[in-house]
Each structure stands twice: as C-alpha cells, then as structure tokens.
Amino acid sequence: MNALSLKGLTNGRILLLVFILPLIETSCQKNATDSEFKFPADFPSIQYKNLENQLTPQKIHLGRVLFYDPNLSSTRTISCGSCHAQVHGFADHNLPKSFGVHNRIGMRNSPALQNLAWNTHFMWDGGITHLDVMPIAPITDVNEMDLPLGEAIERIRENKQYLNLFKKAYGDTIINEKTVLFALSQFMLTLVSDQSKYDDVRRGKTNFNQIESKGYQVFKNHCVKCHSEPLLTNNQMEYNGLTVKSKDLGRFRITQTLKDTFHFKVPSLRNVALTYPYMHDGSFSNLDQVLKAYQTKFQLENHDLEALRAFLNSLTDHKFISNLNHAEIHPFNP
Amino acid sequence: MKNTIIWLSRATLWAALTIIALPLLFSSCTEEEKPNNSPKVGNLTIEIDHVWGMDQKPFLMNTPIVHPMSGDTMTFSLIKYYLSNFELIKADGSSYKVPNSYFLVSETDNKIELKNIPMGEYTAVNFLVGVDSAANNSGLQQGALNPSNGMFWSWSTGYIFIRVEGTSPQAKNNTFLFHLGGYIPPYSAIQKKNMILGGNSVSIKPDAAPVLHIKTNVARLWHGPVKLADVSVVHSISDLSVSMSANFRDGILFDHIHQ
C-alpha cells in the first residue's frame, strides 16, 4: 500500500468516525434509560468490578430465573432461593444451618443477601473476592447443591425454555459459565436494601422516635467501628468474641495466619430483625441473646439494650422484602 | 427547498459511504497488523514430556510406580497444572511477553502453542508455574482458566495450580490428593521459572515450526522428606504447598529444540 492511499484512508477514517460515533453513543444511552434499576445515589460507589457486565432488565430477569431454578442442584430440589428467602432478607428460613440436597447440613448459617454490589469479600470468612464466581461455591458444595459447574451449565442448555431468555439478554443463545454467572450477578446486584426507616431518617424524610434515637447513639458509640454506616458493615473480617470457639476457624481457613483465627466477616445489620438465627454458626436464636452478649462486652445498661433493639428494628426494609422484582419466579411451570 | 434536497442527498451519500466503508475500517486494521510482503512474526510449540525421577523413567498413569526417594508406590489417576505468563528472551536481554498465555497441562494435553511471536533468536523462556495473582482475583475467566476445568477453589477465590491425585498403599486411606495453590504471600505458591535454552537459541520466523521440548519430572513434587505416610492430602494454602510447588518447578527442565 503506498503512502498516499494510506493517508487518504486515515483521513476518511477520521471523518467516518465522527459520523459513526454519535450513532454508537445514542444507542448506549438508550440502553441506559431502558434499565429501570439504579444504585442509590447517597451510598458509596459500588465495589463490583466488571465493566463487561452492564446491567440490563433482560439480564437481571434471566439472573432471577436462574436464582430460583432448582435444576441447579443435583437432586433438582434446591435453588439459591431455598436458602436465601426474600421474606428473611434473603437469609435462610430461620435455620441455624441450611439444608442442602439430601437434607445435608452445611457448615455455616446462610447469610442475608443485600447490597452485594458494595461487598469486597463474600462468605463468612471472606474467602471469595468476586461476586461473579460466588455462585460456584453453593452450586458445587456437596452440602448445598452438589453439582459440578459444567453439569449445571449443561442442564441450563438442555432446558430449551431458557433459549429465549438468553437470546433476549445477550442477543444470542450462547449458554456458558460466563453468560450464566454474569446474569446471576446482575440479579444479585439489584438486591439493594435502602428503604428502611433508618434510611428515611438519613435522608431527612422522617425522624427517629426517642428510643430509636437513643439506640442510634449507643450504636454509634459501640458498633459502627465494625457495622459502619450506611451499609452497616466495614466489609472486614473481625472477632466479636461472642461465639463459642469451634472447629470453624473463620478467616484462618483462608489466610492460615494465626491472628485471623475466629475472625468472621462483619455482617450488615440491615434487616437484622428478619435474619435470625445469628452469627456464622446460627448459635444465637434471637436478637435479645445477641444484645445480652454485647452488653457484657461493652458494659451496656439494660435501657441501652432496649434502645439498641428499637434502633435495629428501624433497619427493616419492608419495601425490599416485598419488592416484586425480587420475588420467586418459575416461568417454565405456569 | 433546494438546500434540503442537497442536504438529504448528502446524508444519503454519507450513509451509503458509511455502509461501504465500515467493513473497510475493520479490514484495514487487520491488514496493518501483518503487512503482506514480510510478516515479522512466527510461532513456537512447547512440548512437555512427563518423566519419573532423575533418570527420566517414563511417567505412567494408572500404573503403580515407585517413588525413587520415598519408596512409596503411587498410582496416578490425575495430574494437571498451570503454566502461564510466557516470556521469550533474546541474547541481548530484550524480551517478548506473550499476552494472555495461560495453559492447563496434563500428561495428554502436553503441547503449548505460542503464536505471533516477533521474529528473532531467543535464548531463554520464562514462565510461571501457576497463575498470576491478578488472574486469580479478577472474577470469572474463560479458556484454560474456566472454573469448570476442576482447577478452581470454589470456597476461596483462586486457582489450584498443581493438582495430582491417585492411590498408594502407603497413604492414609490408600489415596493421595495434592491440590497446590494460593497467591497471597507468605503462602504464594506461584513459582517463576527461568529456563535457559542450554546455550542454544530457538529461531522464531514465519513459515517455521520450531518445537521446544521440555521435561517435567513429576517425582520431584515429593523431593526431600515428604512421604505419603506423613502427608497424603493437601488442599489449601500451606508451607508445604509452597515448597512442593517450588520443587515441582525445579523439576521442569529444558531438553532440546527441534528447529
């Protein structure tokens, strides 16, 4: 190719780009307005990192169908939703430890799923560091869904009713680890809880009553170091000294570092009134037990506990647990 | 009125031009990458032969073989490991990093194809035994790093770098299982290999198909005092995971070049 024509081509290309770019841009903007989902503007910026996985209503919907699909377990009986129930803030149905396939009991309490977009660590020991790979753990765990990942993908492929959902979401019917896990992430990213009374107070829409406001004060004095606002977790693994030391060494399992023994991820306290029993091992069956234990640790007065209790109740997000966009769905069996 | 017509026809012209030119836009990009008269890149195949012990006995799967140091009798049912981040070095020290080079090697999947390497004489190859920490940590990966390949620790984000399993009468419960990995110091099992091509060089050029033959001495995993009677299962990060993977790395050796 001679120099002249090369130059000509470059010029042409720039002109063309000028022409095409606005076209591309407008189509992107269109997508953005299509999606009704938005992260709350007054939360910190999200921690989920995957530029390739931009939220769309179709992908979120696909993720929701996958989340509630029991075919992802070896016995075709257990879905993600079996252990993560919306009415309990996506924690388990008040079981200390969850039942997986064949009624096998797992090692730990099933945590609430909410505001996962801000998590940097997942699981009670923080061992998983990216939401996109998180579902691999429950799918493959013998005590949970007990299915090799490849087989789970194969089952989705075999179910012809998925084709349409994948086509709508991705424009084609490629079903693989990526398209499945990205969609699951999309649904989980939309599980945002920011509509509790606590949030209304934060936003100046209402006020705490007297006892809640006292509880908030106690909370700020003793708890926010770990249960930091506004997400009510600092995303770190800490030792709160409340649980019985057992074979579950917590963060030590991941780092094999002695100082991390019995450290567990600080759970967010959003919807905490709904997520009992508490702690990684489900060993506290109600909030009063938890607060009694913290009372000893922080030398709190009895009326502090009552106040804390009222404050923790203000963290329940009724809109979140009744949001129809998150509800169980089985589009294939009408 | 006249103006609108001119405008319209101009717009149509532009639209037509765009449609015609779009494919050009892409094809011209690829053309620039490999100018037609003198492509300046070539490929390299690395072939890995698995051997057993310093005297390079054949490494056999599903057959009892005796470890030369520990004397343990081992029957392997599985061996897989990652080699990644390949970099080719010239005599003058300049080097070429092969982008996205992650390979899952087993006794049957034992050929690595490195493509589009700049032409030249290379005297050394560097690579990692394992997977760099960035790739361990950046979410879902595909290809060799696909988590369905059985080399992903689901409960703790990260890859198993070296996975060997089998049976042995010396092992507790008759089985041995070593899943070695971990990318966070002090338990990082990522091992860097600098392989000098024995004073030779491999010529990379278009239309050539050089093969670099290397040997992996699998027995080297149990170098030193590791006996199956003491440890037959490792499946998380540990000192042993670090030392065994370092020993394994030391058992990967340059053999010869087939130019």
Side-chain angles (χ1 to χ4, degrees), chain A residues 80-96:
Chain A
C80 310
S82 308
C83 303
H84 298 289
Q86 184 178 18
V87 285
H88 301 291
F90 291 94
D92 206 338
H93 298 272
N94 307 134
L95 294 165

Side-chain angles (χ1 to χ4, degrees), chain B residues 21 26 28 37 42 63 65 96 154 156 173 177-179 189 221 248:
Chain B
F26 292 111
S28 68
N37 43 0
T63 309
I65 44 181
Y96 174 71
S154 59
S156 160
N173 299 327
L177 177 152
F178 292 85
H179 294 182
L221 264 172
F248 185 73

Side-chain angles (χ1 to χ4, degrees), chain A residues 6-264:
Chain A
L6 228 174
K7 195 171 153 231
L9 200 81
T10 330
N11 280 344
R13 221 194 276 171
I14 290 166
L15 278 175
L16 272 172
L17 272 180
V18 171
F19 197 77
I20 296 165
L21 265 180
L23 278 179
I24 297 171
E25 237 170 65
T26 46
S27 70
C28 296
Q29 273 162 5
K30 192 161 162 283
N31 273 343
T33 43
D34 270 355
S35 131
E36 299 116 42
F37 180 79
K38 284 203 175 61
F39 291 112
D42 57 355
F43 270 11
S45 50
I46 63 164
Q47 293 290 330
Y48 175 73
K49 290 189 182 66
N50 182 351
L51 289 174
E52 217 190 311
N53 199 21
Q54 298 298 326
L55 296 177
T56 69
Q58 296 77 16
K59 289 181 189 170
I60 294 168
H61 177 72
L62 171 61
R64 178 175 164 203
V65 175
L66 290 164
F67 189 88
Y68 289 111
D69 187 350
N71 292 307
L72 301 190
S73 64
S74 59
T75 50
R76 301 185 191 267
T77 53
I78 307 275
S79 74
C80 310
S82 308
C83 303
H84 298 289
Q86 184 178 18
V87 285
H88 301 291
F90 291 94
D92 206 338
H93 298 272
N94 307 134
L95 294 165
K97 291 179 186 163
S98 306
F99 287 98
V101 295
H102 305 297
N103 290 330
R104 290 180 195 144
I105 296 179
M107 182 170 84
R108 292 179 181 150
N109 179 249
S110 169
L113 304 185
Q114 67 207 345
N115 301 341
L116 294 166
W118 291 271
N119 269 20
T120 49
H121 295 86
F122 302 88
M123 310 281 269
W124 282 104
D125 52 26
I128 295 177
T129 57
H130 201 297
L131 186 61
D132 291 347
V133 294
M134 177 63 226
I136 302 171
I139 292 173
T140 58
D141 190 319
V142 281
N143 294 323
E144 298 184 17
M145 300 165 96
D146 193 23
L147 198 62
L149 182 60
E151 250 175 72
I153 305 290
E154 200 46 53
R155 285 191 181 182
I156 299 165
R157 264 185 216 133
E158 279 165 10
N159 184 346
K160 296 286 171 256
Q161 288 163 298
Y162 265 115
L163 289 179
N164 201 21
L165 293 178
F166 276 86
K167 180 125 184 99
K168 277 192 188 145
Y170 291 102
D172 55 39
T173 52
I174 297 173
I175 299 177
N176 60 20
E177 285 77 1
K178 181 170 153 179
T179 52
V180 169
L181 292 171
F182 279 21
L184 272 169
S185 283
Q186 294 234 348
F187 174 65
M188 289 194 283
L189 288 167
T190 66
L191 300 179
V192 171
S193 173
D194 75 325
Q195 303 285 324
S196 63
K197 178 165 186 192
Y198 161 74
D199 294 293
D200 286 345
V201 174
R202 265 190 329 117
R203 292 178 178 135
K205 287 195 207 157
T206 182
N207 292 310
F208 280 138
N209 63 29
Q210 210 179 349
I211 182 150
E212 288 164 346
S213 138
K214 180 173 172 213
Y216 184 39
Q217 218 45 56
V218 180
F219 189 76
K220 284 204 283 196
N221 290 343
H222 297 286
C223 319
V224 291
K225 179 176 151 264
C226 301
H227 300 286
S228 319
E229 299 187 79
L231 295 157
L232 304 180
T233 170
N234 61 359
N235 257 312
Q236 299 299 305
M237 278 52 71
E238 309 269 1
Y239 176 56
N240 73 351
L242 267 53
T243 47
V244 177
K245 294 181 177 172
S246 71
K247 273 197 297 194
D248 189 346
L249 303 180
R251 184 67 179 161
F252 177 86
R253 181 178 183 225
I254 304 302
T255 61
Q256 303 287 315
T257 304
L258 270 177
K259 70 168 178 48
D260 291 336
T261 319
F262 304 123
H263 286 225
F264 290 93

Side-chain angles (χ1 to χ4, degrees), chain B residues 33-34 39-46 85-88 96-103 111-120 122 125 203-210:
Chain B
E33 272 162 23
K34 33 177 176 149
K40 294 194 188 73
V41 294
N43 301 337
L44 172 65
T45 302
I46 300 178
N85 290 271
F86 281 81
E87 183 179 12
L88 289 96
Y96 174 71
K97 284 199 170 90
V98 186
N100 249 314
S101 45
Y102 297 94
F103 301 93
K111 276 193 191 136
I112 287 175
E113 308 281 350
L114 303 178
K115 299 221 163 79
N116 295 322
I117 305 160
M119 236 171 101
Y122 293 90
V125 179
S203 302
I204 303 295
K205 50 189 177 212
D207 313 321

Side-chain angles (χ1 to χ4, degrees), chain B residues 166-229:
Chain B
T167 57
S168 163
Q170 282 79 29
K172 208 172 144 192
N173 299 327
N174 262 311
T175 57
F176 64 86
L177 177 152
F178 292 85
H179 294 182
L180 313 178
Y183 59 95
I184 301 170
Y187 295 109
S188 169
I190 303 170
Q191 304 296 345
K192 189 160 188 179
K193 180 79 189 179
N194 306 311
M195 184 180 277
I196 293 162
L197 305 182
N200 306 310
S201 66
V202 58
S203 302
I204 303 295
K205 50 189 177 212
D207 313 321
V211 182
L212 167 61
H213 289 266
I214 66 182
K215 290 208 156 124
T216 295
N217 172 8
V218 181
R220 183 80 193 202
L221 264 172
W222 296 271
H223 193 67
V226 188
K227 278 176 157 278
L228 292 180

